[in-house]
Amino acid sequence: MSRYVFDFNDGNKELQDLLGGKGANLAEMTRMGLPVPPGFTVTTDACRAYLRTGALPDGLFQEVEDHLRLIEARLGRRLGDSADPLLLSVRSGGRFSMPGMMETILDIGLNDTTVLGLARRSGDERFAWDSYRRLIQMFGKTVFGVPGEQFDAELAAAREAAGVATDAELGTAALRELVAAYQKRFFAYAGRDFPQAPHEQLYSAITAVFASWNTERAVLYRRQEHIPGDLGTAVNVMAMVFGNHGTNSGTGVAFTRDPATGRRGVYGDYLPNAQGEDVVAGIRNTVGLDELARMDPASHARLLSIMEKLELRYRDLCDIEFTIEDGKLWMLQTRVGKRTPAAAFVIAAQLAGEGLITDDEALLRVTGGQLAHLMFPAFDTTNAPAPLAIGVPASPGAASGTVVFDSAAAAAATGPVILVRHETNPDDLPGMIAAQGILTSRGGKTSHAAVVARGMGKTCVCGAEDLEVGPSLFRVGDTVVSEGDVISIDGTTGRVYPGELPVRPSAVVRWFEGELPSTGDPLLTAVERLTGHADTVAKLAVHANADTAADAERARRFGAAGIGLCRTEHMFLGERRELVERLILATGDEERQSALAELLPLQRDDFTAVLAAMDGLPVTIRLIDPPLHEFLPSLEELTDRVARAQARGEDPGHDGRLLVAVRRIHEQNPMLGLRGVRLGLMVPGLFAMQVRAVAQAAAARAAAGGDPRPEIMVPLVASVRELELVRAEASQVLSAVEGVPPIRIGTMIEVPRAALTAGEIAPAADFFSFGTNDLTQMAWGFSRDDVEGAFFGRYRELGVFATSPFETIDVAGVGELVRTAVRRGRSVRPDLVAGVCGEHGGDPDSVRFFHDAGLNYVSCSPFRVPVARLEAGRAAVGDGPVSDSR
Ligand code: ADP
Ligand code: MG
Ligand code: MG
């Protein structure tokens, strides 16, 4: 019984771990009766043994010999036979495809003697010498590390001497001389002759394939693609077939559907009289499959029927490698093919439409990351100039505009602008909102610029280190770009271009917005089908974070089932600041009440508009959260204003009083200071005014025939007592307003203490909403705005975390707080509704966690709603994580 070697007859496509993707699929095709040259697979087990010990495991030799005998018997040809030699290919192939990362050696078995036998037997001397020179080249490179350029140089010299443009035109004599030249190069580099013994060639090749698992480029590729480093590769040994056997032969690659668009049909390239990598190496121009149909209609028809069978068997897009030898078609590889995000959607929906897969399976074939990609506009780079610089592609999309260097200029601009900064901070928010795109010279994927831009669905390139950013221009080498110049930034590639590049707006977004019909467009109908199906299977509802009627309307168009977080702080900005100042400066109850009384109707109108836009759906309104000094001028600014007034001998008046107040309420750690529920308890009447505004808005909407469903949410609660006090006051206020529909009162869970005492808090809360931004800050004890730029890059390098815990929920820590709170809360209140309203609500990996944790909904920015809907559906039908990287 074999342990390390499987004949192609014995494997199948399910054995990818053991046989690698290539080996398992060669076995599957063999089982299907397709024309696959005979061969066998040396398992990944053998590779792992080799990587552990540095030697091929015991018994492997005998197993390989036994299986070799089977091939020889089947073909009636022996390895090393000088009259009619068997030739072999030795091919790498692990569990996950690593294109071009590892090695394959063709034509094993040729030497100075067998090459003559091959020439005689095939009646084609040229072909025999061409195969031999290929073997020396591939074997020399892979087994002995001879630099490829050395062989390339000889090949170029041979072409020049013969006066021909392509390898295919080299004659027999030239190829024979080339073999001699290659052997000299081999000797000079390796210090020994090219091995003549076919068995030595075979075992050296197998060993070299195993060893190539750990080449630098393979290691790097795996790290990027998140492929584990300890899987190892299998080796496939199979009989050669010859595409380089004259014009009646050739080799090609094909896809069962277009991997770029998903369109039905067969797509491929074919190269007559060629072997192996010639097709993709671009040495000669390939022809399309329609041309093959003219040249060799029988093989073409055969190929098409095989591809149809493969699609039915794999129920997915397949890509294949094939070779035609003297008019006979051979299958050399197939696998489920990689594809663009658009093609992924189109193909999944088509296959579901054809009944080949269920809609549940179709959902698992696409990802939220892919949908996000489809929602960003893209540049048309066909005629693009060379990029000025390349930075970190932080938030996908394509943006062009005139360059501005500060937030105020961006906010004041009339046309599209690109905000260029060293890095951004919360003060830049208005400029970021106004700008088309954001470009920074510092910071990575979790820098402030990147996080905020992604949340807004805005294009961002950050950390473009070649940029020297000054106050009114930036330099890249000798190039100077001044304020007012136009640039284009590509958030998908990180490229920064001079001038304006043409863009294509995302059709998917235009469809969500209702600007395009889906009919007739395969991508849009696919997105419609899959997001629609996700909604029907999802256990997790998707709400939006929205504070205005416009945002609420957009969220609805994007499929939100309500508002999970309506912030009220922006309702205290602009002209209303003055009222807030009066509130803070108030010395007595009367002054305070009069300021609040003026705020009341303004708040009521805000809420009425949002409730109207979300009619019939829940709107969770959060009472004011930030510390009040955020609404006052800064300490520095006031100190400066007061000092100037005094220098002029004037009375600083209002500014002087403000300064006293700002000094009084100044905090060392505002994030941990007087904010949230603490404000409600410390500033009499503030929360009551907000609750009254909600009640009046709801009553007005109800009276107008609407279906308002507001909920009131208390931020930053740590103790049930805090919530009870606010709740008692709120209930009183609500009952005093007439015609108010029932309004639930719940709490955010964003302080670790609240999560841990959820069992005490639940009786006072109609619902929980996890504020995972604050919960993450408080669980880790760092503030996002301060640490992301400062040390997150280093922390990722050091392996403290793989992704920022502000991007993807930290399952072990913050996630455990969420689970604990849900469990304890529901143990006393089984019907407790629990949701999430942090940034994580729109992050694909986090959505899966929230589903697993048994939450009722996630809430995220409107732009991310479709992604969250899709992921909520995937989580419901999936059995384990399916990530983007495969
Ligand atoms: P990769 O994994 O990089 O695609 P492969 O193992 O598929 O490498 O092989 C490289 C090339 O050699 C492919 O074009 C393949 O079709 C060709 N090839 C592999 N085995 C044989 C064979 N037995 N006969 C003819 N061509 C082969
Ligand atoms: Mg291949
Ligand atoms: Mg918070």
Side-chain angles (χ1 to χ4, degrees):
M1 181 66 206
S2 286
R3 290 199 305 145
Y4 290 121
V5 178
F6 276 64
D7 193 277
F8 289 168
N9 282 309
D10 297 333
N12 65 61
K13 70 180 165 61
E14 311 307 326
L15 295 177
Q16 311 239 345
D17 287 336
L18 188 63
L19 305 180
K22 200 180 285 171
N25 291 328
L26 280 166
E28 187 74 22
M29 288 197 291
T30 305
R31 281 159 57 91
M32 290 168 68
L34 303 185
V36 177
F40 57 84
T41 303
V42 185
T43 65
T44 55
D45 272 348
C47 179
R48 285 189 292 269
Y50 170 83
L51 294 172
R52 266 196 313 276
T53 63
L56 296 179
D58 284 348
L60 180 65
F61 178 81
Q62 197 49 55
E63 286 186 39
V64 168
E65 288 302 308
D66 293 347
H67 282 85
L68 194 54
R69 290 294 94 74
L70 292 175
I71 302 181
E72 290 180 336
R74 225 171 291 162
L75 297 179
R77 216 169 259 167
R78 278 189 310 109
L79 188 67
D81 182 348
S82 57
D84 188 7
L86 169 69
L87 301 192
L88 299 170
S89 71
V90 172
R91 320 169 64 187
S92 63
R95 169 74 182 83
F96 300 109
S97 107
M98 295 169 47
M101 288 301 127
M102 297 180 60
E103 306 298 350
T104 283
I105 302 172
L106 306 181
D107 303 319
I108 294 243
L110 282 175
N111 57 28
D112 295 350
T113 315
T114 55
V115 69
L116 303 175
L118 180 64
R120 263 194 310 278
R121 196 260 298 164
S122 65
D124 187 344
E125 265 192 287
R126 185 199 173 278
F127 149 74
W129 288 98
D130 183 54
S131 302
Y132 194 17
R133 66 98 187 164
R134 288 171 192 268
L135 169 64
I136 301 169
Q137 185 172 349
M138 284 183 270
F139 188 91
K141 259 168 73 176
T142 305
V143 183
F144 284 86
V146 185
E149 304 83 61
Q150 297 211 7
F151 297 120
D152 294 344
E154 293 294 349
L155 191 56
R159 279 196 304 263
E160 198 164 318
V164 298
T166 65
D167 307 348
E169 297 164 75
L170 289 174
T172 309
L175 289 168
R176 194 184 295 124
E177 278 167 36
L178 195 57
V179 164
Y182 276 11
Q183 288 187 339
K184 267 205 207 94
R185 291 276 194 174
F186 186 97
F187 183 86
Y189 190 89
R192 57 159 288 178
D193 280 325
F194 173 76
Q196 292 289 312
H199 276 81
E200 183 189 350
Q201 292 174 4
L202 175 60
Y203 288 98
S204 307
I206 292 175
T207 313
V209 168
F210 283 164
S212 72
W213 177 257
N214 276 333
T215 57
E216 207 172 305
R217 62 178 181 172
V219 170
L220 205 70
Y221 181 86
R222 286 198 294 273
R223 193 173 302 152
Q224 248 168 40
E225 300 290 310
H226 306 288
I227 298 173
D230 56 0
L231 299 176
T233 180
V235 177
N236 302 289
V237 177
M238 62 196 295
M240 284 297 299
V241 291
F242 299 100
N244 55 338
H245 198 215
T247 48
N248 215 2
S249 305
T251 183
V253 295
F255 297 89
T256 56
R257 301 191 186 216
D258 185 341
T261 64
R263 221 170 326 188
R264 291 215 61 169
V266 172
Y267 296 78
D269 292 310
Y270 180 70
L271 193 58
N273 198 10
Q275 190 179 52
E277 309 278 276
D278 292 356
V279 187
V280 281
I283 47 174
R284 277 185 280 146
N285 283 338
T286 56
V287 299
L289 293 185
D290 43 349
E291 186 64 28
L292 173 64
R294 273 189 287 279
M295 294 183 333
D296 184 349
S299 295
H300 179 260
R302 188 98 211 271
L303 180 67
L304 260 49
S305 107
I306 287 176
M307 284 171 62
E308 210 174 295
K309 287 199 186 110
L310 284 174
E311 263 224 347
L312 286 175
R313 174 67 63 115
Y314 284 86
R315 304 184 308 139
D316 205 347
L317 168 147
C318 294
D319 78 17
I320 64 157
E321 293 175 6
F322 65 94
T323 280
I324 297 172
E325 178 180 341
D326 290 329
K328 168 141 178 60
L329 174 70
W330 293 97
M331 300 300 293
L332 295 179
Q333 187 170 336
T334 192
R335 73 191 148 198
V336 169
K338 298 208 162 148
R339 65 205 70 183
T340 62
F345 271 85
V346 170
I347 291 170
Q350 278 173 355
L351 292 174
E354 291 161 20
L356 268 176
I357 60 176
T358 64
D359 276 283
D360 283 3
E361 285 174 293
L363 259 189
L364 293 177
R365 300 258 178 108
V366 295
T367 67
Q370 288 170 332
L371 181 56
H373 188 97
L374 292 172
M375 291 177 67
F376 292 108
F379 280 128
D380 183 350
T381 52
T382 340
N383 298 311
L388 282 172
I390 300 180
V392 179
S395 178
S400 300
T402 53
V403 171
V404 294
F405 292 90
D406 66 68
S407 178
T414 44
V417 295
I418 306 291
L419 178 62
V420 183
R421 311 271 301 155
H422 266 304
E423 53 194 347
T424 61
N425 60 49
D427 289 340
D428 292 319
L429 204 60
M432 296 175 77
I433 292 168
Q436 250 357 71
I438 298 133
L439 170 62
T440 69
S441 59
R442 292 235 306 260
K445 278 201 169 173
T446 65
S447 61
H448 178 268
V451 172
V452 174
R454 272 198 300 278
M456 298 193 296
K458 189 148 293 194
T459 306
C460 174
V461 173
C462 58
E465 287 170 359
D466 292 344
L467 259 55
E468 274 177 72
V469 181
S472 64
L473 55 83
F474 72 80
R475 267 178 231 282
V476 197
D478 297 338
T479 310
V480 174
V481 176
S482 307
E483 178 141 3
D485 291 349
V486 173
I487 61 168
S488 299
I489 61 173
D490 186 333
T492 312
T493 62
R495 293 196 156 82
V496 180
Y497 298 93
E500 183 174 346
L501 259 53
V503 286
R504 292 174 276 124
S506 157
V508 171
V509 169
R510 296 188 57 205
W511 171 70
F512 276 123
E513 290 286 19
E515 294 166 16
L516 282 182
S518 64
T519 26
D521 184 312
L523 175 59
L524 300 181
T525 46
V527 171
E528 182 171 36
R529 179 175 189 136
L530 296 180
T531 50
H533 184 67
D535 290 344
T536 65
V537 293
K539 304 237 163 47
L540 209 53
V542 179
H543 296 192
N545 299 350
D547 320 339
T548 63
D551 276 356
E553 278 158 14
R554 185 173 210 212
R556 268 194 114 130
R557 290 193 297 270
F558 281 33
I563 291 181
L565 174 62
C566 176
R567 297 183 175 88
T568 53
E569 35 271 25
H570 80 101
M571 301 171 184
F572 293 80
L573 293 175
E575 288 164 5
R576 304 179 189 179
R577 261 180 211 268
E578 191 209 313
L579 295 171
V580 180
E581 289 178 5
R582 273 175 48 199
L583 176 71
I584 296 170
L585 293 179
T587 48
D589 223 25
E590 207 169 306
E591 274 181 65
R592 189 163 37 238
Q593 286 308 336
S594 104
L596 287 171
E598 280 190 59
L599 277 166
L600 176 70
L602 303 172
Q603 285 258 277
R604 184 181 54 218
D605 292 349
D606 294 332
F607 294 142
T608 310
V610 173
L611 289 173
M614 269 290 156
D615 198 59
L617 294 174
V619 175
T620 307
I621 295 167
R622 180 177 71 181
L623 302 178
I624 188 164
D625 181 42
L628 288 184
H629 53 74
E630 279 195 11
F631 301 97
L632 299 182
S634 76
L635 184 61
E636 292 76 21
E637 189 184 332
L638 278 171
T639 312
D640 188 53
R641 285 205 317 233
V642 168
R644 278 165 200 262
Q646 284 168 339
R648 287 193 302 266
E650 296 166 10
D651 176 4
H654 183 66
D655 281 347
R657 284 192 298 282
L658 272 183
L659 180 59
V660 173
V662 166
R663 285 217 179 99
R664 175 166 44 85
I665 60 181
H666 176 76
E667 292 173 325
Q668 293 295 342
N669 294 308
M671 189 185 91
L672 302 175
L674 180 56
R675 51 173 288 220
V677 66
R678 303 162 196 166
L679 273 179
L681 298 176
M682 297 306 290
V683 182
L686 178 58
F687 275 12
M689 180 276 290
Q690 290 199 292
V691 172
R692 194 167 293 120
V694 172
Q696 290 179 356
R701 283 291 310 150
D707 180 9
R709 303 197 183 173
E711 303 181 336
I712 289 169
M713 177 156 80
V714 185
L716 220 75
V717 164
S719 149
V720 64
R721 184 76 189 131
E722 292 169 315
L723 183 61
E724 282 166 355
L725 290 167
V726 171
R727 193 185 176 92
E729 184 187 28
S731 305
Q732 221 168 27
V733 171
L734 290 178
S735 60
V737 180
E738 230 162 279
V740 186
I743 295 182
R744 302 192 306 154
I745 300 173
T747 182
M748 293 196 67
I749 302 285
E750 53 186 339
V751 177
R753 191 181 190 282
L756 297 173
T757 60
E760 291 170 22
I761 293 176
D766 298 329
F767 61 87
F768 281 178
S769 177
F770 291 94
T772 50
N773 298 346
D774 267 307
L775 196 57
T776 301
Q777 301 198 96
M778 298 200 203
W780 284 83
F782 49 46
S783 99
R784 176 167 83 182
D785 294 337
D786 294 320
V787 296
E788 274 199 328
F791 63 77
F792 266 30
R794 186 75 185 123
Y795 257 40
R796 275 201 307 279
E797 277 169 29
L798 292 171
V800 179
F801 36 63
T803 42
S804 161
F806 291 112
E807 242 177 80
T808 298
I809 189 100
D810 153 37
V811 170
V814 179
E816 195 53 28
L817 285 170
V818 171
R819 283 190 194 276
T820 303
V822 171
R823 198 174 53 244
R824 295 190 180 166
R826 287 197 181 141
S827 73
V828 295
R829 194 168 183 154
D831 61 343
L832 182 74
V833 169
V836 168
C837 64
E839 270 296 309
H840 302 95
D843 170 67
D845 290 335
S846 308
V847 170
R848 178 172 292 271
F849 167 78
F850 296 132
H851 166 89
D852 292 341
L855 298 192
N856 302 87
Y857 68 88
V858 294
S859 187
C860 56
S861 53
F863 198 76
R864 298 177 95 181
V865 164
V867 171
R869 286 167 57 203
L870 191 80
E871 285 295 338
R874 279 165 40 81
V877 296
D879 53 355
V882 179
S883 100
D884 273 354
S885 58
R886 296 294 133 75

